[in-house]
Amino acid sequence: QVQLVESGGGSVQAGGSLRLSCAASGYTFNSYCMGWFRQSPGKERERVANIGGDGNTYYAESVKGRFTISKDNAKNDLPLQMNSLKPEDTAIYYCAAGPKYGSSCAWAYWGQGTQVTVSS
């Protein structure tokens, strides 16, 4: 079955960096959309960034220029490099995957999440 396991979360001061990883298994890695979402207390889950099998990327406006999503096909990994972190980036970050239908992705599979805390 499909499994997504996040790692790399932690606590950092504002302006710092973290690199999240998502180890994927149970499916052909490059056949699904993959992305990162986040959720903080009292807020809805939001899409942070995603990447398609063709390499096209999407970033939320709030993270453009600071976060970079990529795919490591050799390791079945989905890194998210986060630079210039802000306190408002504090959230649980989730890795997600799913098939693409037309221009949309069906986020059918989710990891357990990893906590990112940014202090001012």
Side-chain angles (χ1 to χ4, degrees):
Q1 70 275 25
V2 175
Q3 281 194 315
L4 303 171
V5 180
E6 303 98 333
S7 61
S11 297
V12 66
Q13 289 197 324
S17 298
L18 283 173
R19 183 178 175 88
L20 305 183
S21 291
C22 173
S25 60
Y27 68 100
T28 302
F29 184 67
N30 216 34
S31 65
Y32 281 173
C33 301
M34 293 195 71
W36 286 95
F37 291 70
R38 67 185 180 187
Q39 188 168 22
S40 51
K43 294 187 178 181
E44 291 188 356
R45 186 173 296 187
E46 66 169 334
R47 182 166 49 128
V48 174
N50 67 265
I51 186 167
D54 54 6
N56 286 340
T57 57
Y58 159 88
Y59 293 96
E61 283 296 325
S62 58
V63 307
K64 276 184 181 178
R66 300 188 298 123
F67 291 12
T68 303
I69 190 171
S70 59
K71 294 178 79 173
D72 185 335
N73 293 322
K75 296 181 179 179
N76 284 9
D77 187 34
L78 186 77
L80 181 69
Q81 179 66 42
M82 306 187 296
N83 298 328
S84 303
L85 282 161
K86 304 175 181 180
E88 51 264 43
D89 294 318
T90 295
I92 299 175
Y93 283 70
Y94 298 90
C95 176
K100 188 171 183 180
Y101 294 104
S103 60
S104 299
C105 296
W107 302 108
Y109 306 101
W110 296 84
Q112 81 288 351
T114 186
Q115 177 71 47
V116 171
T117 302
V118 184
S119 57
S120 57

